[in-house]
């Protein structure tokens, strides 16, 4: 399992692992893949601590950092500093929406924080103003060789700045149209994420999307995202012309992940039909486990989710509660995960996942080779 992109990035396998957990980044790199740390939840100071830790533990292996600059978000045209933008957005959150969100938590016996506590009304790295300082931090770390962006084409000056520092830029997309915009802007690696993927996603399924994006942007390399949880699925992704896979859900189910046992248990119990694309946590369609929180925001009579990043200013307290009160918040927790959740039966070591994927890939491609040999015999 090796593609030209492996040589360009100095990795053994074209397995890219998106995670919010530094331990997983290191474990993936040590097993021959490429770990990418999601920066959205970290302040620049916190990110610096995470990256220093990774640098100390990863040896001479490369890794990536993922930021979120959406193509469209509330307040994007205001041209404000992060602090000014936070204040402006805070004033835009309707009290009714905030009360409704608090009510969902208290109805489920989850202690409800007051304004300002536990991430309530905080602006995370969901905007250019908050993501730019994260990029500056990442560029101070020589082992960071890739910056990826979710939800839009990174601004032209940011792409130039990252390129000038000798790094590659990647960006996620859910359509050939978005892929073309990325490629035209000079993005080096396009990540085509099918609608079954965990986190923010479009509507088109992976097996339809991947070859369309490959065709659209060739010869720019494409990574296949959405629904990767086995080596057979990697074989399918490479057969469709991609140069590797980019996965997220699987890394929630490894021993090195910080996810709570309650969350991991929920993922093991869930089938592929138990996820939903919901705007109820971030304001943009995001795939997660369906639960009482996601259902409440669907009801006709209830307030509708706000746009990004306003909705997370409201839901941030529920996310914080997931970590603080895992047992109480099980029915209202933010559990982003893809349809591949239906394949998960246990928590594994990261190195065991990568070894399993390589073996399954070899078995799958071996089966195809035998079919071809038999056909030609
Ligand atoms: C828990 C979770 C959080 C995610 N957060 C982000 C994010 O902050 N930035 C991003 O680019 N992608 C994010 N994603 C999407 C992943 O990068 C990846 O594209 C997706 O998980 C692939 O589909 P899969 O879940 O079927 O592997 C997230 C996915 C999950 C499961």
């Amino acid at each position: 399992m090796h593609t030209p992109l492996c040589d360009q990035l100095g990795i053994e396998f074209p397995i890219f692992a998106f995670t919010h957990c530094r331990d997983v980044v290191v474990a993936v790199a040590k097993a021959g893949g490429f770990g990418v740390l999601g920066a959205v939840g970290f302040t620049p100071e916190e990110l610096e601590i995470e990256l220093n830790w990774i640098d100390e533990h990863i040896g001479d292996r490369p890794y990536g950092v993922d930021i979120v600059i959406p193509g469209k978000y509330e307040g994007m045209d205001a041209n404000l500093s992060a602090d000014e933008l936070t204040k402006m957005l805070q004033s835009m959150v309707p009290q009714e929406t905030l009360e409704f969100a608090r009510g969902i938590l208290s109805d489920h016996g989850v202690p409800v924080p007051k304004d300002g506590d536990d991430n309530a009304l905080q602006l995370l790295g969901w905007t250019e103003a908050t993501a730019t300082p994260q990029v500056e931090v990442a560029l101070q770390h020589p082992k960071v060789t890739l910056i990826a962006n979710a939800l839009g084409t990174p601004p032209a000056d940011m792409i130039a700045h990252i390129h000038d520092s000798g790094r590659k830029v990647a960006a996620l997309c859910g359509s050939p149209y978005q892929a073309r915009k990325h490629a035209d802007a000079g993005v080096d690696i396009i990540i085509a994420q099918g609608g079954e993927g965990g986190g923010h996603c479009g509507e088109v399924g992976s097996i339809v999307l991947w070859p369309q994006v490959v065709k659209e942007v060739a010869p720019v390399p494409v990574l296949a995202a959405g629904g990767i949880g086995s080596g057979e699925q990697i074989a399918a992704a490479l057969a469709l012309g991609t140069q590797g896979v980019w996965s997220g859900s699987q890394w929630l189910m490894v021993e090195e992940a910080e996810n709570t046992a309650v969350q991991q248990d929920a993922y093991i119990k869930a089938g592929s039909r138990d996820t939903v694309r919901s705007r109820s946590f971030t304001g943009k369609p995001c795939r997660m486990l369906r639960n009482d929180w996601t259902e409440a925001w669907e009801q006709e009579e209830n307030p509708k989710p706000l746009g990004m990043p306003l909705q997370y200013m409201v839901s941030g307290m529920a996310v914080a509660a997931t970590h603080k009160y895992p047992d109480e918040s099980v029915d209202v927790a933010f559990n982003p995960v893809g349809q591949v959740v239906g394949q998960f039966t246990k928590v594994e070591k990261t190195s065991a996942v990568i070894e399993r994927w390589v073996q399954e890939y070899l078995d799958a491609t071996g089966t195809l080779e035998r079919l071809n040999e038999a056909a030609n015999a």
Side-chain angles (χ1 to χ4, degrees):
M1 189 199 290
H2 200 83
T3 65
L5 200 52
C6 297
D7 298 325
Q8 287 175 31
L9 286 168
I11 52 175
E12 196 177 352
F13 306 120
I15 294 173
F16 292 71
F18 173 90
T19 172
H20 289 287
C21 177
R22 63 190 187 182
D23 304 71
V24 178
V25 172
V26 168
V28 166
K30 288 192 169 164
F34 192 92
V36 181
L37 186 75
V40 74
F42 298 118
T43 63
E45 295 73 27
E46 289 166 345
L47 185 62
E48 174 68 11
I49 294 170
E50 301 301 293
L51 302 189
N52 281 336
W53 187 91
I54 294 173
D55 288 344
E56 274 169 34
H57 292 83
I58 204 165
D60 57 3
R61 295 169 181 87
Y63 65 100
V65 170
D66 175 280
I67 53 161
V68 183
I69 303 182
K72 276 195 198 133
Y73 56 90
E74 302 284 345
M76 77 178 278
D77 298 325
N79 211 6
L80 298 173
S81 70
D83 284 348
E84 291 165 340
L85 185 61
T86 305
K87 284 204 182 72
M88 184 185 96
L89 292 172
Q90 281 171 341
S91 71
M92 288 166 65
V93 174
Q95 195 60 27
E96 183 205 3
T97 310
L98 206 52
E99 289 306 325
F100 171 64
R102 289 206 179 102
I104 304 174
L105 294 185
S106 56
D107 287 351
H108 286 79
V110 181
V112 181
K114 297 185 188 67
D115 281 356
D117 289 350
D118 290 343
N119 285 342
L121 296 179
Q122 296 305 303
L123 181 62
L124 299 183
W126 300 108
T127 67
E128 185 176 347
T130 45
T132 302
Q134 295 173 332
V135 172
E136 290 310 319
V137 169
L139 296 185
Q140 299 306 313
H141 294 259
K143 294 175 198 175
V144 173
T145 58
L146 177 79
I147 306 284
N149 187 44
L151 295 176
T153 304
D157 53 347
M158 184 179 283
I159 294 179
H161 185 41
I162 297 169
H163 281 162
D164 287 347
S165 76
R167 274 96 167 176
K168 288 190 187 299
V169 178
L172 285 89
C173 72
S175 72
Y177 169 77
Q178 289 169 338
R180 166 73 14 231
K181 276 180 67 182
H182 292 342
D184 288 349
V187 170
D188 306 285
I189 300 171
I190 313 281
I191 303 156
Q193 184 183 334
E196 58 267 69
H200 294 109
C201 59
E203 287 171 303
V204 180
S206 291
I207 202 164
V208 172
L209 178 71
W210 296 337
Q212 288 184 7
V213 172
V214 167
K215 195 170 163 201
E216 179 65 41
V217 300
V220 178
V222 175
L223 295 177
I228 299 295
S230 75
E232 290 93 346
Q233 286 157 330
I234 299 177
L238 297 193
L240 290 169
T242 66
Q243 281 215 25
V245 294
W246 171 284
S247 55
S249 297
Q250 177 69 70
W251 312 108
L252 305 168
M253 295 299 291
V254 290
E255 288 176 13
E256 294 84 350
E258 277 168 357
N259 298 85
T260 63
V262 176
Q263 263 182 323
Q264 289 177 326
D265 195 44
Y267 292 139
I268 288 173
K269 288 192 182 120
S272 291
R273 297 179 66 197
D274 294 326
T275 71
V276 60
R277 270 174 92 237
S278 168
R279 293 179 50 231
S280 64
F281 276 96
T282 71
K284 286 194 191 279
C286 180
R287 189 170 294 285
M288 60 192 73
L289 286 189
R290 183 188 298 107
N291 63 18
D292 291 351
W293 174 282
T294 63
E295 292 289 290
W297 293 91
E298 292 295 322
Q299 305 304 318
E300 198 54 46
E301 65 278 16
N302 290 340
K304 297 289 149 271
L306 307 171
M308 179 176 274
L310 293 175
Q311 183 65 12
Y312 196 88
M313 294 178 110
V314 172
S315 68
M317 58 184 167
V319 176
T322 311
H323 297 287
K324 218 166 168 182
Y325 312 103
D327 295 326
E328 293 85 343
S329 64
V330 67
D331 294 325
V332 290
F334 184 31
N335 289 316
V337 73
Q339 292 177 343
V340 73
V341 71
Q343 288 173 218
F344 299 154
T345 56
K346 60 182 176 197
V347 177
E348 297 170 87
K349 258 189 159 354
T350 295
S351 57
V353 170
I354 294 198
E355 280 165 28
R356 173 168 66 76
W357 284 8
V358 172
Q359 191 53 52
E360 289 166 346
Y361 170 85
L362 293 174
D363 291 347
T365 51
T367 303
L368 293 180
E369 275 162 28
R370 283 192 297 283
L371 282 174
N372 286 340
E373 278 163 16
N376 291 331

